[in-house]
Amino acid sequence: MARTDKMKLGTFVYTFGFHPASWLHPASSVHGANDFSHLLDVAKRSEAAKLDFMFMADSPAAAVGDPDALARIPTKMNRFEPLSLLSALSVTTENLGLVATVSTSYYEPYNVARLFASIDHLSGGRVCWNVVTSDHDETGYNFNREGLDPHALRYERGNEFVDVVFGLWDSFEDGALLLDRESGVYYDKTKHHTLNHKGKHFQVRGPLNIARSPQGRPVIAQAGGSEPGMDMAARTAEVVFSLASNIERNRTFYDNVKRRMPAYDRNPDDLKIMPGVVLNVGETQAEAQSKVDYLIDKMHPDVGRLMLSEFLEADLRGVPMDKPFPMDRLPETPKGSRALFDELVDFVKSGRTVGELVRHYAEKHTGNGITGTPVQIADFMEEWFETRAADGFILMFPTLPASLDDFVKLVLPELRRRGLFREEYEGKTLRENLGLSMPANRFAGINSQR
């Protein structure tokens, strides 16, 4: 059955762009990592294009590895804390959704609930929390841990964490603020609720000391292809960031996650699955390829080795670029995403040299890189959307703002011509623009005092 909804699109933001050599592009701002005007410019361009949101990828730690390589990669070594950035963007934009990554492993639920609720009010209902459990040892060393907690423990804590945050966001019911100057009563005490959560990982009394947000609660995003990850997504997420390496594999993932939702009394339409896709577009195939080649040629070999090392959890320092990939250096069990690791292992089994793999990965990543003309890219996106392998895409632009501008100028008109993408925003909140329902308040109708 043909779809009647519109494709959802978001801008994925590493400071200079997704490619590790993006900061070397002449159209980039070399001071962009600490220059708010650069990121505001990206937000304004995304908003002018009527994109759904701007997605801030983050890790609360600097990267580790080869120091010579790291000295050539600014993105993970120098960047804004995402909630501080969202606060600034919330009052300098009007319609664009704002997504920030915050880990359940290194925050407390009350802090996260209060921070996101505040930004949702500041933005008029446009904020989204990208829930992660973190997947790198270096983060744990900054938070009183010896590396990374086990995968199962991180998800167990993460699920309870989200439950507590949801409960805190329900502290005030809709209509709780009476604001009655005549009687002198500011809020209805029967519509303000204490959570009193006592669980395995958290004890949180509440209530939250901020009114219910314009969206009922902020939108929830999540990534993760493991069994616990898919179950967590079906239970709590409204946007899922998936891999886009293979349409059949992603269609299976799409169906798997959405089929789980009725068990949690959720409508599958209240979850948008949005694969990440790296786009290199030109008016001709040759022009698009030249943009790819330019960045790859700018990338130092040490950076390429580190790029593969990070995702494969394998130390590749000193490995010759003209030799086959050393499979014996791969871990038997990854600490991070199992789905991503399996994709990458399939990728390196091809027998090509490390140098060939680095070059291929720099363009295609795990297969989610598309290089072509506007029609070719629109064809790809339309097939994924219409056959329900995706509800939209998170656009991982190699350079910012240059690749974003290319997409807006060349691809968006083609998508609109086909009736696949909006001409104007549908509403004022992110939840409205994504076509998500308003969440019910768990305490509605319960007359209890604080």
Side-chain angles (χ1 to χ4, degrees):
M1 186 171 66
R3 300 188 71 145
T4 57
D5 57 335
K6 300 290 187 185
M7 189 181 290
K8 311 304 176 187
L9 298 175
T11 304
F12 183 95
V13 177
Y14 279 153
T15 302
F16 305 97
F18 192 69
H19 197 285
S22 58
W23 73 281
L24 300 173
H25 193 279
S28 70
S29 169
V30 73
H31 301 290
N34 308 118
D35 180 3
F36 174 68
S37 65
H38 164 64
L39 290 162
L40 177 58
D41 180 53
V42 172
K44 290 288 191 180
R45 291 170 192 248
S46 300
E47 187 169 69
K50 315 299 181 188
L51 301 187
D52 288 272
F53 55 75
M54 182 167 160
F55 184 110
M56 310 294 172
D58 186 63
S59 171
V64 297
D66 181 356
D68 292 329
L70 289 171
R72 299 175 180 275
I73 311 174
T75 296
K76 295 187 179 180
M77 306 306 286
N78 180 24
R79 58 185 173 187
F80 285 113
E81 187 282 315
L83 293 181
S84 303
L85 178 60
L86 254 62
S87 296
L89 290 171
S90 71
V91 295
T92 50
T93 56
E94 294 181 1
N95 298 103
L96 186 70
L98 302 168
V99 186
T101 300
V102 169
S103 174
T104 58
S105 296
Y106 307 114
Y107 280 76
E108 287 291 320
Y110 194 90
N111 298 120
V112 168
R114 193 171 185 224
L115 285 163
F116 274 100
S118 297
I119 301 172
D120 208 41
H121 279 284
L122 287 171
S123 66
R126 294 182 288 119
V127 78
C128 171
W129 171 25
N130 178 40
V131 181
V132 300
T133 61
S134 295
D135 58 3
H136 293 292
D137 277 333
E138 60 263 26
T139 308
Y141 295 125
N142 294 333
F143 292 91
N144 202 35
R145 292 171 173 80
E146 290 299 318
L148 194 66
D149 289 337
H151 186 271
L153 177 60
R154 296 200 312 275
Y155 269 95
E156 180 183 86
R157 175 189 164 97
N159 274 296
E160 186 180 343
F161 191 113
V162 172
D163 288 344
V164 175
V165 171
F166 280 14
L168 290 169
W169 281 336
D170 284 344
S171 294
F172 277 96
E173 291 182 48
D174 293 323
L177 299 187
L178 299 176
L179 313 180
D180 189 342
R181 286 174 168 170
E182 190 171 322
S183 68
V185 178
Y186 185 79
Y187 70 87
D188 183 344
K189 65 182 181 180
T190 69
K191 293 185 177 182
H192 194 210
H193 303 277
T194 302
L195 183 62
N196 286 323
H197 175 87
K198 292 184 179 182
K200 181 174 180 180
H201 299 279
F202 303 106
Q203 293 189 44
V204 182
R205 189 188 71 174
L208 195 64
N209 60 344
I210 186 168
R212 197 171 194 224
S213 82
Q215 301 187 95
R217 64 171 179 246
V219 173
I220 299 297
Q222 196 222 332
S226 66
E227 277 295 314
M230 288 189 287
D231 212 53
M232 186 176 184
R235 192 171 70 87
T236 64
E238 291 159 311
V239 174
V240 169
F241 180 20
S242 71
L243 298 172
S245 60
N246 176 284
I247 188 170
E248 293 298 337
R249 186 176 292 180
N250 216 81
R251 194 179 291 123
T252 299
F253 172 81
Y254 181 105
D255 184 60
N256 190 335
V257 174
K258 294 209 174 194
R259 276 192 293 105
R260 299 172 188 234
M261 294 178 68
Y264 298 108
D265 294 322
R266 296 190 63 205
N267 184 337
D269 289 339
D270 278 330
L271 175 63
K272 308 303 176 185
I273 294 181
M274 301 177 66
V277 59
V278 181
L279 296 174
N280 296 282
V281 60
E283 293 189 4
T284 66
Q285 181 73 36
E287 180 187 312
Q289 189 62 47
S290 71
K291 294 175 182 179
V292 174
D293 293 341
Y294 177 87
L295 288 174
I296 293 176
D297 291 341
K298 284 282 188 183
M299 188 174 67
H300 193 277
D302 289 346
V303 173
R305 273 189 287 254
L306 181 64
M307 185 172 60
L308 285 181
S309 297
E310 180 180 90
F311 287 103
L312 289 167
E313 301 177 24
D315 188 350
L316 299 178
R317 279 177 287 185
V319 174
M321 299 291 277
D322 60 351
K323 299 295 183 184
F325 186 90
M327 298 296 290
D328 60 329
R329 298 202 183 193
L330 291 174
E332 289 186 13
T333 303
K335 294 177 180 176
S337 167
R338 180 83 229 185
L340 177 58
F341 181 78
D342 289 343
E343 292 270 357
L344 288 166
V345 169
D346 289 344
F347 170 71
V348 301
K349 282 180 179 177
S350 59
R352 287 175 286 187
T353 67
V354 171
E356 288 170 335
L357 289 169
V358 164
R359 187 173 185 88
H360 185 77
Y361 186 78
E363 178 180 354
K364 300 290 187 182
H365 299 270
T366 56
N368 65 347
I370 306 171
T371 300
T373 66
V375 169
Q376 289 171 325
I377 290 174
D379 285 346
F380 169 91
M381 297 173 78
E382 182 174 18
E383 182 183 12
W384 281 62
F385 179 68
E386 292 291 356
T387 63
R388 288 178 166 74
D391 296 309
F393 298 89
I394 296 178
L395 307 170
M396 305 166 81
F397 296 113
T399 62
L400 288 170
S403 300
L404 169 59
D405 289 344
D406 289 342
F407 179 82
V408 171
K409 176 185 175 183
L410 299 173
V411 180
L412 269 192
E414 181 64 21
L415 293 177
R416 286 183 170 133
R417 186 186 68 78
R418 302 180 188 198
L420 294 170
F421 189 66
R422 67 166 64 89
E423 296 284 348
E424 295 292 340
Y425 286 108
E426 292 83 2
K428 297 298 291 184
T429 70
L430 177 58
R431 192 171 289 281
E432 288 174 302
N433 290 325
L434 288 173
L436 302 172
S437 64
M438 188 81 163
N441 187 304
R442 71 186 62 193
F443 297 115
I446 299 175
N447 293 321
S448 63
Q449 299 183 15
R450 286 197 304 149

